[in-house]
Amino acid sequence: MVTRTRRLRGCETLRRATRETRISSGSLIYPLFVREGKGIEEDLPSLPGQIRYSPDTVLRGVEAALVAGVRAFLLFGVPEAKDGIGSNSYSEHGVVQRAFENVKASFGKDAYLIADVCLCQYTSHGHCGIIQNEEVDNDSTLQLLAKTALSYARAGGDMVAPSGMMDGTVAALRAALDTEGFTNIPIMSYAAKYASAFYGPFRDAAGSTPQFGDRKTYQMDYHNKREALKRIQVDIDEGADIIMVKPALSYLDIVSKAREQTNVPVAAYSVSGEYAMIKTAAAAGIVDEYNIMCESAASIFRAGADILITYFAKELVQAIRKGDIG
Ligand code: PBG
């Protein structure tokens, strides 16, 4: 006796044809780091294989990814000068603003540009907002986030992605964007962002480790699930076009619930620690990098993600082309 599933799996063509999860390269977003300076392309030891660019060389990073088949980019700025209010995040000469202008001048609509909107890389204390009495002051931070989002839109950004977890961010950004005529710029909200040790390599790459305390007052406790769903709903009510769950692999239950309970697209961010773990374990000969990359990405889509933000974007496009996933 041979079961139906076995008959189907015996044939490669049928196996692919009957896959329950579909993955396309258009669903991938590739994060890029841009620092102050000229002619810089430096390796990031904490993120093997990733490069930190300056606003001029980022064109090379974007071009390589476009050639590989990636269309969407999430940019993180690493400014030289930081201050208490993160003023370089909304300067029209900021690193991400200049990078956007350069990329749009060279690639136009071929490159879809998303700006991470947060102050932590730009503040001297490394927190995601203005500090008052040793605490992040939510409401005064909102005005700066709105200014930041606007400056990204003016520089050619196609979408803004607020990641600072301040209450009321989505409403503040939507109002500011609409007032200035950027009604078509969507907001992808980091709605369920957990206080996670998986961000470690990113903080090295972006220079955004808090100088005191931690982010537990504004990022979420990993014991909580209902809280995530509530925050997601609040962000949708405020006007988020896409909601995000971050990190991805340890939070697939949240991705799955978000998919079931909402009607907006769900993005998952497979963060720096997830990438670095696979890379270093593979470099040590302990796991097979390619297969683990494919399996992890497929699991995130299987959980219900529509969009995946991943440092493996280029490699995943190749895997989709070969039919190994997708
Ligand atoms: C905050 C931000 C962080 C990441 C994306 N946006 C770091 C943090 O909250 O500390 C992490 C991304 C990653 O780890 O890959 N601006």
Side-chain angles (χ1 to χ4, degrees), residues 5-21:
T5 33
R6 221 157 134 186
R7 221 163 9 241
L8 295 177
R9 283 208 204 110
C11 161
E12 173 81 14
T13 309
L14 272 182
R15 199 160 61 227
R16 286 188 192 174
T18 57
R19 276 176 181 159
E20 294 177 34
T21 302

Side-chain angles (χ1 to χ4, degrees), residues 141-175:
T141 302
L142 292 183
Q143 294 164 26
L144 299 188
L145 293 175
K147 270 169 96 166
T148 304
L150 276 177
S151 77
Y152 290 143
R154 288 190 198 110
D158 295 295
M159 184 193 275
V160 290
S163 67
M165 294 293 279
M166 297 299 125
D167 296 334
T169 303
V170 174
L173 263 51
R174 187 72 271 158

Side-chain angles (χ1 to χ4, degrees), residues 278-301:
I278 296 176
K279 279 293 206 188
T280 46
I286 298 169
V287 299
D288 180 316
E289 177 173 329
Y290 182 77
N291 284 314
I292 293 236
M293 169 189 83
C294 290
E295 186 177 334
S296 317
S299 74
I300 297 165
F301 284 105

Side-chain angles (χ1 to χ4, degrees), residues 59 85 91 136 169 199 247 255 302 310:
L59 293 177
I85 54 169
S91 152
V136 172
T169 303
Y199 308 146
V255 172
R302 191 189 63 233
T310 170

Side-chain angles (χ1 to χ4, degrees), residues 120 124-127 200 203-204 206-212 215:
C120 64
S124 40
H125 43 75
H127 278 284
R203 291 182 184 171
D204 280 348
S208 63
T209 307
Q211 298 304 303
F212 64 89
R215 301 206 168 116

Side-chain angles (χ1 to χ4, degrees), residues 31 33 47 74 76 116-121 126 128 161 163-164 190 193-194 196 198-203 206 208-210 215 218-219 246 269-274 311:
F33 296 94
L47 285 170
L74 175 62
F76 293 99
D116 179 89
V117 178
C118 192
L119 300 185
C120 64
Q121 291 110 266
C128 300
S163 67
Y190 288 64
K193 178 174 179 181
Y194 285 86
S196 170
F198 285 101
Y199 308 146
F202 173 95
R203 291 182 184 171
S208 63
T209 307
R215 301 206 168 116
Y218 44 100
Q219 296 184 352
K246 175 181 168 200
Y269 193 151
S270 188
V271 299
S272 56
E274 300 176 33
Y311 300 95

